């Protein structure tokens, strides 16, 4: 049965192989889902995590401990705002999730030729509506799929599209070791004025290792992911998370393969059903920083 499980994960990766030509648009589809993964440089495709992790790997949804409502706000680069709302319903063998993500860019100066003053100041928006389903297929394997509707608007021009994510999470049987893989953004859009918006096809695979440490309800996790994205070179995403008494989490990440960023860090605090997470990512060359704050509320444990 284990060999069959690994075959499923390999097939998910092979499904994306024809997609690696050219570049991709829609910045919203490239952003790390949630403050937890952002603090660990985007690593975490092999970890169940919180409700936001469904955006990274829909298969991880069925491995979560219970249902949750998740809200996040991201102050990204150059005045770009990113908001995410996720609601999950998790049972013993299957799970569902619905989410809405929005990205806004304001104060874009509109010109048709070089002038001292712009003709107008306009904005751009990206919105993703997503529905996810995941199932526990046997004792160690979780598979999931997400369908997404995409909306892109720049000034008066708009475009819509659809995309699909598929992902899997596998518990290896070695203590604390899980593997995961996800293929994201397979689909297309209509024309934005004269051009179609090329989607950033992504294939991400990784390993997570979690060990329990003293004192009680404390653990240390080490994560390592490889990210392949349409038109880009391969990236290595490394992350670590230390949790103390199940209440305080300290996180650190490092991304290899990007021109303008490397380190990231964050903290999380849990109290009963409530959790608050924060991430900080500095960018080089004077680009700025990205800071993300999220709130999660647990609804009930899975049966």
């Amino acid at each position: 049965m284990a060999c069959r499980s690994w075959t499923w994960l390999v097939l998910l990766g092979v499904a994306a192989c024809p997609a690696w030509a050219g570049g991709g648009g829609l910045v919203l589809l490239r952003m790390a889902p949630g403050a937890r993964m952002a603090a660990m440089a985007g690593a975490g495709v092999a970890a169940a995590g919180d409700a936001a992790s469904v955006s990274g790997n829909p298969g991880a949804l069925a491995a979560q401990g219970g249902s949750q409502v998740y809200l996040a706000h991201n102050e990204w680069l150059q005045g770009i705002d990113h908001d995410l709302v996720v609601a999950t319903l998790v049972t013993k063998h299957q799970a569902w999730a619905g989410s809405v993500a929005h990205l806004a860019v304001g104060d874009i100066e509109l010109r048709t030729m070089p002038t001292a003053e712009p003709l107008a100041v306009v904005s751009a928006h990206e919105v993703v509506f997503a529905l996810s389903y995941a199932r526990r297929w046997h004792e160690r394997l979780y598979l999931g799929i997400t369908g997404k509707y995409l909306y892109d608007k720049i000034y008066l021009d708009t475009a819509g599209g659809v995309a699909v994510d598929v992902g899997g999470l596998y518990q290896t049987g070695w203590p604390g070791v899980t593997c995961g893989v996800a293929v994201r953004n397979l689909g297309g859009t209509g024309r934005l004025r004269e051009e179609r918006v090329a989607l950033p096809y992504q294939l991400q695979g990784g390993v997570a290792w979690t060990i329990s440490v003293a004192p009680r309800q404390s653990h240390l996790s080490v994560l390592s992911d490889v990210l392949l994205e349409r038109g880009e070179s391969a990236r290595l995403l490394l992350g670590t998370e230390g949790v103390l008494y199940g209440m305080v989490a300290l996180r650190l990440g490092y991304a290899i393969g990007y021109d303008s960023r490397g380190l990231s860090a964050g903290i999380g605090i849990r109290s009963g059903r409530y959790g608050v997470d924060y991430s900080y990512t500095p960018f080089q060359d004077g680009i700025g920083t990205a800071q993300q704050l999220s709130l999660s509320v647990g609804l009930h444990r899975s049966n």
Side-chain angles (χ1 to χ4, degrees):
M1 192 67 171
C3 292
R4 184 179 177 184
S5 302
W6 280 107
T7 302
W8 274 103
L9 297 183
V10 171
L11 288 175
L12 293 177
V14 171
C17 288
W20 304 132
L26 285 168
V27 174
L28 182 54
L29 298 178
R30 288 190 166 109
M31 303 182 78
R36 181 175 180 267
M37 286 186 71
M40 296 187 291
V45 74
D50 51 32
S53 64
V54 68
S55 299
N57 182 358
L61 174 63
Q64 293 178 7
S67 304
Q68 192 178 83
V69 173
Y70 181 96
L71 308 171
H73 177 69
N74 186 1
E75 293 286 345
W76 212 53
L77 306 175
Q78 307 297 319
I80 299 175
D81 292 327
H82 168 220
D83 296 287
L84 174 67
V85 179
V86 186
T88 66
L89 176 61
V90 182
T91 64
K92 185 176 181 180
H93 296 293
Q94 54 191 346
W96 298 263
S99 67
V100 179
H102 175 250
L103 181 144
V105 185
D107 299 330
I108 302 173
E109 296 184 346
L110 176 64
R111 289 182 171 87
T112 56
M113 63 183 66
T115 58
E117 297 295 330
L119 297 176
V121 178
V122 302
S123 62
H125 298 269
E126 296 177 2
V127 184
V128 175
F129 300 93
L131 289 175
S132 304
Y133 173 77
R135 182 176 178 84
R136 183 176 182 174
W137 289 89
H138 78 90
E139 183 180 357
R140 297 181 182 175
L141 178 66
Y142 305 83
L143 296 175
I145 185 169
T146 296
K148 299 187 285 192
Y149 173 75
L150 317 172
Y151 175 79
D152 192 12
K153 179 180 181 180
I154 301 177
Y155 189 34
L156 300 177
D157 298 308
T158 63
V162 293
V164 173
D165 301 346
V166 291
L169 185 72
Y170 182 70
Q171 298 171 340
T172 64
W174 296 320
V177 179
T178 57
C179 299
V181 64
V183 180
R184 299 190 291 264
N185 310 322
L186 298 178
T189 70
R191 294 185 182 276
L192 186 66
R193 186 165 287 191
E194 301 298 332
E195 298 291 334
R196 292 189 183 275
V197 180
L199 298 186
Y201 300 142
Q202 294 178 327
L203 169 62
Q204 185 171 345
V207 178
W209 179 36
T210 299
I211 56 173
S212 297
V213 297
R216 182 172 166 268
Q217 288 188 309
S218 301
H219 65 262
L220 177 66
S221 298
V222 179
L223 305 94
S224 177
D225 290 9
V226 174
L227 173 64
L228 302 177
E229 184 175 315
R230 183 180 193 174
E232 303 287 346
S233 58
R235 278 89 178 247
L236 178 63
L237 312 176
L238 305 174
T240 183
E241 177 184 56
V243 177
L244 184 63
Y245 293 112
M247 296 176 60
V248 178
L250 298 177
R251 304 179 181 111
L252 189 66
Y254 190 77
I256 300 173
Y258 291 89
D259 294 330
S260 57
R261 73 177 178 95
L263 282 171
S264 57
I267 186 171
I269 299 175
R270 294 285 181 274
S271 179
R273 297 187 299 124
Y274 301 93
V276 177
D277 295 285
Y278 170 78
S279 68
Y280 177 83
T281 305
F283 286 74
Q284 302 168 5
D285 303 321
I287 296 177
T289 62
Q291 301 183 68
Q292 189 163 171
L293 182 67
S294 68
L295 169 67
S296 58
V297 181
L299 301 180
H300 64 79
R301 304 292 294 178
S302 59
N303 296 324

